[in-house]
């Protein structure tokens, strides 16, 4: 995974129990040096819903993520063309919101993460 945070280009890889867990771990591997508070964030619930199911595998995917930092819980939503893209949005918003709760980011809000999620030959590159 390649992303930008605080003006720094970060490349991180990780393995997990499926692609979404690997994505979560890769984000943490890449960002915990800059945002050590991420180590306290725990994904407590993960739900996937297919919107407009009549489109089969081309359907829009919605992901709901609930995260905790030990002091409270919050939920974020991602919507995308596939489960990885939707999960990326939900995880990015979960980490951003959690850091804002802890006042760990500049007041201009988002982490400033840039990542492309695209399909290519049946695989997903993050």
């Amino acid at each position: 995974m390649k992303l930008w945070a605080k003006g720094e280009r970060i490349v991180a890889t990780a393995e997990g129990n499926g692609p979404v867990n690997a994505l979560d771990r890769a984000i943490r591997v890449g960002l915990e040096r800059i945002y050590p508070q991420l180590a306290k964030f725990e994904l407590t619930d993960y739900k996937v819903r297919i919107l407009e199911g009549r489109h089969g595998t081309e359907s829009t995917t919605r992901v709901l993520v609930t995260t905790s930092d030990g002091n409270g819980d919050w939920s974020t939503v991602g919507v995308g063309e596939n489960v990885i893209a939707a999960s990326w949005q939900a995880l990015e918003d979960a980490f951003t919101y959690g850091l804002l709760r802890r006042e760990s980011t500049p007041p201009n809000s988002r982490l400033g993460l840039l990542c492309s999620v695209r399909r290519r030959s049946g695989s997903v590159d993050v």
Side-chain angles (χ1 to χ4, degrees):
M1 175 188 65
K2 299 173 191 171
L3 55 86
W4 287 87
K6 290 193 172 184
E8 182 181 337
R9 182 175 185 259
I10 299 168
V11 178
T13 60
E15 295 180 349
N17 183 14
V20 176
N21 183 240
L23 177 62
D24 178 35
R25 287 182 179 192
I27 292 170
R28 291 169 187 274
V29 165
L31 294 178
E32 280 185 0
R33 180 178 51 79
I34 297 170
Y35 301 106
Q37 305 86 341
L38 292 178
K40 295 187 184 226
F41 296 175
E42 181 181 353
L43 178 70
T44 58
D45 197 12
Y46 177 82
K47 296 177 185 174
V48 177
R49 172 117 179 142
I50 303 301
L51 307 175
E52 304 171 17
R54 65 182 178 275
H55 297 293
T57 57
E58 293 182 359
S59 297
T60 302
T61 305
R62 180 179 65 201
V63 170
L64 174 66
V65 168
T66 303
T67 308
S68 175
D69 63 0
N71 295 318
D73 295 34
W74 59 94
S75 295
T76 54
V77 176
V79 177
E81 62 195 29
N82 60 60
V83 69
I84 304 299
S87 296
W88 168 263
Q89 288 178 8
L91 289 169
E92 178 187 8
D93 286 349
F95 293 152
T96 300
Y97 181 78
L99 290 170
L100 287 170
R101 282 172 45 105
R102 293 173 164 259
E103 300 177 19
S104 300
T105 58
N108 64 358
S109 75
R110 299 184 65 83
L111 286 175
L113 303 182
L114 300 175
C115 178
S116 64
V117 178
R118 64 187 183 280
R119 274 190 169 171
R120 186 175 67 195
S121 305
S123 65
V124 177
D125 295 330
V126 177

